[in-house]
Amino acid sequence: MKYVVAVDVGATNLRVGTYWVDGRLIKSVSVRTPGSGGPDTIAECIYDLASRLISELGLNQHQLAGVGVGSIGPLDIRRGEVVNTPNLGIRSFRLRKPLTEFFKTEYVLVVNDCVAGVWGEKVFGYGVNIDNLVYITLSSGVGGGVVVDGDLLIGKDGNAHEVGHIVVRYDGFRCGCGGLGHWEAYASGSGIPRYVKYYVENIATSRKTKLTEFVRESLITPELFFKLVREGDEVAVEIYNELCRVNAAGFASVINVYDPELVVVGGSLALANYDLIIQPLHDLLTNYVVNRLPKILPTQFGGEAVLKGAAALVIRPPKKLLRIYGFNH
Ligand SMILES: [Zn+2]
C-alpha cells in the first residue's frame, strides 16, 4: 500500500508522520520547531525527520503518494511559503519548493494548519457526511478552517477565514497583529495573560486576590488562570465571565457567516479546558446567533488533528487545491 508524509508546522512543535493511504497512522515524531536559521531550515528539518521515519519503517521511496503540510500562516499558497509570521523566529520560510526537491515529487500540498484541520474532519472525522463545517482551534492563537457546500475555502493567498481577527469589541483591547478588539487578543493562549494583566491594571485596580498577586509578579499563564477560575478566585471568575462572552461573540460570528451544520473544536487550550471554554457557549450563543445553531464537538483527533488533515489533503485532495497547483486529477 502507498503511504503519505504528513507535516504539522506549529509555532512550538513540528510534527512529521507517515500514514497509509487508507488514513491509518503508521508513526509520527515531534520536535521543537526550529526558531532560527534560513528560509529552508524548516524544510530541511522536515525532510530529515521524514527520512529517518521512512528508513526506520522500511518504507520505499516509490511507495510515497505525496506530502501534505499544514502550517502556521500567513501563507503565500501558490509559492507554498510562509510570509512574515509573527509567531516564529524564522519569520518567512519556504516549504513547497525545497520539499518538492528533497522528496523528488511534485505532489507537495501546503495549506494553513486550520485548513488542514477542517479537511481532516471532512475526510476522516465527524464531518464525513457533512457538507458545511468549520474547524476552530484555540491554542497559542485562534484559527479556523471552513468547508461550505462541500468545498474547502482557501482565499486568494490561502488565508481565508482568519477568524482569530474577528472583531468582538470595536473599542476593545489591542491584538498582537495591531488591530483593535480581535477575538484572539482575548481568548488565545498568548492573549489570555495579556488580557488578564490589562483587566487587573485597568479595571480591577483596587482589588486583591491570588490572581492580582500573580499578575503583579508577571506569573500569569492560561493554565494558571483557568486553575484560579476553578478555585473560584473572584477576579479570575469576573474575567472568565467576560471571556465566555468574547468566545460566544467569536463563535457566533463564525456561525452567522458560514452557516455550518457542525463546528469542530481543536487546539490545546480548548481541549484542556473544554468544560470551561466550550460548554458555556451553548447558553450564550443564542444571544448572538441568527442562523440555526450547529452541533459543537471537540475533535476526536486531539493533538493529531492538523497532522491527520495534512495526510487527508494528499489522500483525498480538495479539487480547488489541485487547480491552484495545476494538477489535473
Ligand atoms: Zn488581530
Side-chain angles (χ1 to χ4, degrees):
M1 190 184 284
K2 287 197 163 190
Y3 69 93
V4 166
V5 169
V7 184
D8 170 5
V9 183
T12 314
N13 294 312
L14 175 64
R15 291 190 175 89
V16 175
T18 45
Y19 286 81
W20 296 118
V21 286
D22 62 7
R24 277 177 299 147
L25 174 69
I26 307 171
K27 193 173 179 187
S28 71
V29 289
S30 173
V31 297
R32 299 286 289 188
T33 309
S36 61
D40 290 344
T41 302
I42 289 175
E44 283 160 8
C45 185
I46 290 167
Y47 183 66
D48 185 45
L49 290 168
S51 306
R52 273 192 262 165
L53 266 183
I54 288 167
S55 74
E56 180 194 328
L57 296 165
L59 297 168
N60 186 316
Q61 182 78 30
H62 302 296
Q63 293 169 281
L64 177 66
V67 180
V69 184
S71 173
I72 49 170
L75 277 186
D76 177 335
I77 198 164
R78 278 177 187 76
R79 299 171 71 92
E81 296 178 2
V82 173
V83 184
N84 207 17
T85 183
N87 301 316
L88 198 64
I90 310 176
R91 292 178 70 94
S92 297
F93 52 95
R94 311 194 302 169
L95 290 168
R96 188 155 189 267
K97 190 161 187 292
L99 291 177
T100 300
E101 287 164 14
F102 297 157
F103 286 98
K104 299 184 179 63
T105 173
E106 281 292 311
Y107 210 61
V108 178
L109 305 176
V110 181
V111 298
N112 187 292
D113 45 9
C114 294
V115 172
V118 76
W119 199 246
E121 296 297 333
K122 172 81 185 110
V123 175
F124 295 120
Y126 291 126
V128 162
N129 294 311
I130 292 177
D131 275 343
N132 293 283
L133 68 146
V134 175
Y135 174 81
I136 291 182
T137 174
L138 302 174
S139 56
S140 49
V142 174
V146 181
V147 170
V148 173
D149 300 333
D151 219 358
L152 183 67
L153 297 190
I154 292 178
K156 68 182 189 317
D157 294 321
N159 304 310
H161 41 72
E162 279 284 356
V163 301
H165 307 278
I166 282 176
V167 176
V168 290
R169 288 187 173 171
Y170 71 87
D171 56 355
F173 186 59
R174 202 171 282 281
C175 178
C177 76
L180 271 186
H182 291 180
W183 185 7
E184 181 171 296
Y186 296 86
S188 65
S190 58
I192 287 173
R194 289 194 301 129
Y195 177 50
V196 168
K197 184 168 186 288
Y198 171 86
Y199 192 97
V200 167
E201 290 174 354
N202 293 281
I203 298 166
T205 41
S206 57
R207 315 273 290 281
K208 209 171 175 189
T209 67
K210 259 190 185 177
L211 177 96
T212 64
E213 285 308 305
F214 282 126
V215 167
R216 279 186 194 105
E217 291 163 33
S218 299
L219 292 174
I220 282 295
T221 60
E223 294 74 26
L224 183 55
F225 170 70
F226 284 113
K227 184 168 172 281
L228 292 168
V229 172
R230 288 181 200 283
E231 286 174 10
D233 182 286
E234 222 177 88
V235 176
V237 170
E238 214 172 279
I239 299 171
Y240 165 71
N241 288 333
E242 290 293 305
L243 194 59
C244 286
R245 284 198 284 272
V246 160
N247 279 326
F251 274 89
S253 300
V254 170
I255 294 164
N256 287 339
V257 170
Y258 298 117
D259 194 16
E261 201 170 317
L262 170 69
V263 176
V264 182
V265 180
S268 52
L269 187 68
L271 296 177
N273 300 285
Y274 203 80
D275 59 329
L276 286 180
I277 298 176
I278 307 300
Q279 303 290 6
L281 289 177
H282 295 278
D283 291 332
L284 293 169
L285 280 175
T286 47
N287 293 327
Y288 307 101
V289 166
V290 61
N291 289 330
R292 184 166 55 83
L293 281 175
K295 255 195 211 154
I296 301 178
L297 296 170
T299 178
Q300 54 192 309
F301 304 132
E304 197 202 328
V306 172
L307 199 64
K308 189 105 180 166
L313 287 174
V314 176
I315 294 168
R316 189 149 3 121
K319 287 193 191 77
K320 201 179 284 175
L321 196 59
L322 295 179
R323 274 203 303 278
I324 286 174
Y325 287 140
F327 294 120
N328 296 311
H329 267 248

